[in-house]
Each structure stands twice: as structure tokens, then as C-alpha cells.
Amino acid sequence: MKILGIESSCDETAASIVEDGRILHSNVVVSQIDIHAIYGGVVPEVAARSHIEVINPVINQALTDAKMTWDDIDAIAVTYAPGLIGSLLVGTLAARTLAVLKNKPLFLIHHVEAHVYANFLTEIGVGDSEIGNGSKGLQFSTPLPSSQPLFPMLALIVSGGHSQLVLFRDHGDYELLGQTQDDAIGEAFDKVAKILGLPYPGGPSIAKAALEGNPKVYQLPKAKMSGKYDFSFSGLKTAVLRAVQREVGVDFTFPSFQLAERLGERERQDFAASFQRTAIETLVDVTERAYNDFQPKSVVIAGGVAANQELRRILQKRLPLEIEYAPMSLCTDNAAMIASLAYYYAQKNQSVDPLRVEVVPSLSMTKTAWSNL
Ligand code: KG4
Ligand code: ZN
């Protein structure tokens, strides 16, 4: 079954064709990072407008890269929740229109659930004979996992909007073990980067600065949570702010946007490394606890922060099982994960009437997500 996936929930416009949930035929992602970087974050109105400009070319490119026509496509899948309302509307409207015009079944996919399915892509389509010098979206810095994760599977989902630990017993049968009680981890990376004067998006720039820094220079607190598998990152962010104020010799009344100019290069790198180490250890401590309690057959990480190399290294060091990581570019937003999940989703759920689709900007990933539709 070949599914065309469409993703536009935040600031990436993406389309991809995946066969049977695991064979990647094309993966087109147009990022708006450069547009939003000047504002220091995603501007919803700007995001929606730029989705409108590129959505059709992106979908056409996904077909061209896969060397397929509409006749080859069995179904269309699109992100309908959660995300920015204007951004979601553009993707779903494109998907609905195409489902009607091309007479294809339409499946609605939950973005956060879908992040996990980046780990289910194990093969590159043989249809693309030019792999290596062929379509850009199929060239990865590391290989795809050699096999799919086994159930029960423990998934650590860490993105700009989410930090949660989920135990999957099967496709669509999962339990939310714990989640952040305040900021998402990616949000903390982005906010701390702002304090340190590092460019947007904060995750990759903190990771880069941290490579040159010493994580032991600044002692930052790990939050103690009442929920056994819960996280908290807002206290850590404030602790960085206070430590930076101390370092440059000002108090809390000093404008925080002027702090970064007073930091030296070395301090900036040490702060990045110290923050990154504490944030990652918080994630790994909780994941290790859940691993010991539930003894899953596989552990996966998903979402933009899963691209973090230090998180991958420390998690692998602390867990006794071999972890196969998805390539970094499949951890950040893409449509391959949407098309992959849609295959498993379609085994257990009905397609929707394309004329009656609503987007849901905030919809947490709960046990009932598959039965909501
Ligand atoms: O999953 P994603 O692309 O979008 C959401 O659904 O939120 O995640 C984006 C988040 C941003 O906060 C970004 O700073 C973070 O992922 N991120 C990273 C890295 N690459 C992206 N965080 C830490 N290390 C990275 N290498
Ligand atoms: Zn995402």
C-alpha cells in the first residue's frame, strides 16, 4: 500500500510517499527556518502564508522523486492535530481537495504519534534508481534502522511542543506514562539559546556550542517530580537565567535580552554544555526508570530533540539494549512519518469523508487518540 503523506502543522511543508509503512520512496521537506529566524521564533501568520505558496510544488515533487503518478497512490494521509491552526488548515485543505479530485481514501494523522514512526522506516524504495545522487530527501547522514522496533516499545517523544514517555503495546495501543509538567524540552532549548544569544532554532545551536564547552562548569538543578515518569524544564531554564545573571554580575532586574552581549564565548559554550547535559540527564533518568519497570523489547526516541547526538550517546550508554536511531532529518518534522503511521492506522481505522474534516490545534496524545475519529 503506497500512501502519500502531507505535513504542515508548524513551519515545515512536507510530502512523502511510503509503502507499507516502511519503504521510503520520497521525502520532500521545505523548511521555513530562515524566514522565522529573523523573528527568533515561528510567526503563525507568516507560517500559514508560506505553506500556501509551496504546498502544491512540494506534493508534486514527492511524486516526481518517487517516480510515481497518482495511479500508484492508494491513499492520502495528512496531519490534522496538533499544531498551528492556519498551518494545519493549509495541509488538510490540500489533502482533502486531492482526495476528492483523485478519488483516494483520506486518513487523518496525529503529529506527535507520527514522530514515533520515523523509527519504522527501514528501507529506501528500489523505484528510485538514482539513490546516492538522486533526490535530496533520501540522502541521510546515517543509515535507516535495519529493522522495525519490537513491541512492547518505550518511546521518548521530545520535540518543540512535547516531552512525553509512552509505552506502546502495539500500533495504536499505547499508554502515556509521563510528560512534562511545564515547558517542552525543545522549548527549553530554544529559550535557553535566546538567553545565551545563540541563533534560532535553539536545539541545534546549543548542541553545536556545547561541543566546545565543559558541561561541569555550571551546576544546574534537576527537577524532582511527584509523577514517577514526569519531567519539568521550566525551573532549569530559570536556573540558567539566574546563573548567567550571576556570571555577568547583574541582578534579575537587568533586561534579559541584553545579557548575551556580556557573555564571553567560553562562558556561552560552557552554559550550553551544562544546560544540555542536565536536560539530557533528566530525560535519560526517567527513560531508564521506565525501562527497568516495564522491560520493553525496544526503546525509540522521536521528535526534533531526538536529533541531539549527546542524547543518543548517553541514552545508549545507560540502557542495556541496542538502540537503532532514525537519521536526524527524519526526527525533525517531515511527512514520511505521517505516511508511515497512516499505513498501520489504516489497518484498524476507517478513512474520513474529505468534505468533513476539522483540524484540532491542541490535542494531546492519549490512549483514545485512534478512536476519536
Ligand atoms: O519535532 P520538531 O521538528 O517540531 C515540533 O513538532 O515541535 O521539533 C523542533 C524542536 C525545536 O525546539 C528544536 O530546537 C529542537 O527540536 N531540535 C533540537 C535539535 N534539533 C532540533 N534540540 C536539541 N538538539 C538538536 N540537535
Ligand atoms: Zn514535530
Side-chain angles (χ1 to χ4, degrees), residues 204-276:
S205 37
I206 287 199
K208 193 165 161 230
L211 285 174
E212 311 295 326
N214 178 353
K216 297 199 180 115
V217 172
Y218 301 102
Q219 295 304 315
L220 298 165
K222 282 192 209 166
K224 298 224 168 15
M225 306 303 294
S226 52
K228 206 174 169 193
Y229 311 110
D230 283 340
F231 310 102
S232 160
F233 296 104
S234 113
L236 174 58
K237 173 199 65 194
T238 310
V240 173
L241 177 63
R242 297 283 174 258
V244 172
Q245 288 164 339
R246 262 197 310 278
E247 183 67 44
V248 303
V250 298
D251 70 8
F252 65 92
T253 58
F254 187 82
S256 56
F257 66 91
Q258 285 175 5
L259 280 172
E261 333 170 337
R262 300 202 173 192
L263 274 181
E265 197 54 21
R266 161 66 66 78
E267 286 90 48
R268 184 172 288 116
Q269 291 163 345
D270 289 342
F271 269 117
S274 303
F275 161 76
Q276 177 175 263

Side-chain angles (χ1 to χ4, degrees), residues 105-141:
L106 177 64
F107 294 94
L108 302 184
I109 296 299
H110 190 285
H111 177 90
V112 185
E113 260 183 37
H115 265 299
V116 173
Y117 283 77
N119 295 285
F120 283 78
L121 297 159
T122 55
E123 235 178 272
I124 292 194
V126 285
D128 194 333
S129 52
E130 294 163 30
I131 297 302
N133 55 4
S135 94
K136 207 167 139 246
L138 296 176
Q139 292 166 19
F140 299 112
S141 52

Side-chain angles (χ1 to χ4, degrees), residues 9-12 111 115 158-162 185-187 189-190 201-204 207 276 303-309 328 331-333:
S9 64
C10 188
D11 59 343
E12 262 92 28
H111 177 90
H115 265 299
V158 277
S159 73
H162 300 268
I185 172 98
E187 201 180 338
F189 268 86
D190 294 338
Q276 177 175 263
V305 183
N308 188 285
Q309 295 299 316
M328 278 165 77
C331 291
T332 45
D333 287 351

